Amino acid sequence: MPLNAVSGIGDEGQGGTSATGAERQEASVVALSGDYILQISVYPIGRRADDALLGPITQAARVAVGNVSKTSERFGTCEWLTAADADGFLEKSTLQVQRTGAGSCMMFDREANTMIVAVIAISRDTVISMMKRPGPCQHVTVPELGSEAFGEHSCTKGNGNAVNIFVWKNGRQASILFAPVKPHPASGSVERLKAVATRVYGKLSRLTSSAVAQPDGVPGRFRRRSDRRLVPRQQSERHGVLRLRDHLSI
């Protein structure tokens, strides 16, 4: 997806939309502000991601960057992932673990192979709809983690090496994503990622609702997903914002 410069958003801003014929429509704005990077992405269903959609996202980014100094969000220690979860997935000698926001953590290595956990509030009906939706990825159920658990792998669009497991408990869904930059022994392996997903599912079962990121009125990923991330700028400078965006898509 091509990105163009956007003025008036932090130190540096870029925005863009996917091509007209792209199977997965996306409109995104990425901005640097001081020590932080902000990304807002919307994935519409049933309509094009065009300038009419990009305009409000750009305005939301301006407001968000303006509020950076007011945030009380903490970063650093990750409540969902530990270094032990990287075994068999990431190079541990160069491993970085980051809490990227409420209910969201990532860890990555020098090559930018990445594992992400994100937790949102979502209804069971929406989760069931997600399980049945058509798309470019292969779907498999993961019954040992609940009747609402499923995995996506071997995508024909985006990062074909990535694998994602979704688990749901008491109105909350966790996405556990492994996205290597090139073919990897665990590429597309739901079985390999189950061990990490099982640990996340256990933590999800013990989590109180007040600790979960609310979806800001958005009724779940199946209809429209809006991702807003505010993460330390050091992370983006180490690996490059565009490099991370390119290979995380699934």
Side-chain angles (χ1 to χ4, degrees):
M1 181 178 70
L3 295 174
N4 300 308
V6 178
S7 62
I9 305 180
D11 305 326
E12 180 182 347
Q14 296 184 348
T17 60
S18 53
T20 302
E23 182 170 348
R24 186 177 190 242
Q25 291 289 301
E26 176 185 358
S28 290
V29 173
V30 181
L32 297 176
S33 178
D35 293 328
Y36 297 94
I37 173 173
L38 171 73
Q39 178 182 333
I40 302 180
S41 298
V42 173
Y43 305 89
I45 300 296
R47 62 163 290 183
R48 274 203 60 212
D50 52 19
D51 289 343
L53 183 59
L54 186 62
I57 299 173
T58 302
Q59 184 56 36
R62 290 192 177 99
V63 173
V65 168
N67 289 330
V68 165
S69 62
K70 302 175 184 178
T71 182
S72 60
E73 188 58 77
R74 64 179 178 83
F75 301 102
T77 303
C78 173
E79 65 266 48
W80 295 104
L81 294 170
T82 68
D85 293 316
D87 288 343
F89 296 96
L90 306 176
E91 172 52 56
K92 297 190 73 172
S93 66
T94 61
L95 186 68
Q96 296 287 326
V97 182
Q98 259 309 334
R99 183 181 191 273
T100 53
S104 178
C105 292
M106 74 157 39
M107 58 184 180
F108 51 91
D109 58 23
R110 181 174 54 195
E111 298 300 320
N113 299 306
T114 305
M115 184 176 290
I116 295 176
V117 172
V119 180
I120 62 171
I122 189 171
S123 72
R124 184 177 185 276
D125 288 344
T126 302
V127 171
I128 298 302
S129 295
M130 290 174 63
M131 296 176 69
K132 298 177 180 178
R133 68 181 177 182
C137 304
Q138 298 293 317
H139 279 224
V140 294
T141 59
V142 189
E144 58 266 48
L145 296 180
S147 60
E148 302 83 7
F150 66 99
E152 293 181 342
H153 65 94
S154 304
C155 300
T156 57
K157 301 290 185 180
N159 186 347
N161 298 312
V163 57
N164 206 347
I165 294 178
F166 298 87
V167 295
W168 184 89
K169 186 73 174 180
N170 297 331
R172 299 178 292 274
Q173 184 187 61
S175 166
I176 304 95
L177 169 68
F178 173 56
V181 296
K182 58 186 178 182
H184 182 279
S187 292
S189 175
V190 172
E191 287 297 322
R192 293 282 295 274
L193 194 59
K194 276 183 186 178
V196 179
T198 298
R199 290 190 286 272
V200 171
Y201 183 67
K203 295 174 183 179
L204 185 66
S205 300
R206 298 188 294 270
L207 187 67
T208 61
S209 59
S210 61
V212 180
Q214 298 299 315
D216 297 329
V218 179
R221 179 177 168 183
F222 178 69
R223 295 181 60 188
R224 175 176 289 183
R225 186 181 73 181
S226 178
D227 293 332
R228 298 194 295 176
R229 303 177 187 138
L230 187 63
V231 299
R233 185 173 181 175
Q234 179 183 7
Q235 175 181 304
S236 68
E237 292 175 337
R238 183 183 296 271
H239 297 292
V241 177
L242 299 183
R243 186 178 182 190
L244 282 172
R245 289 192 72 262
D246 287 343
H247 81 80
L248 290 181
S249 177
I250 182 170

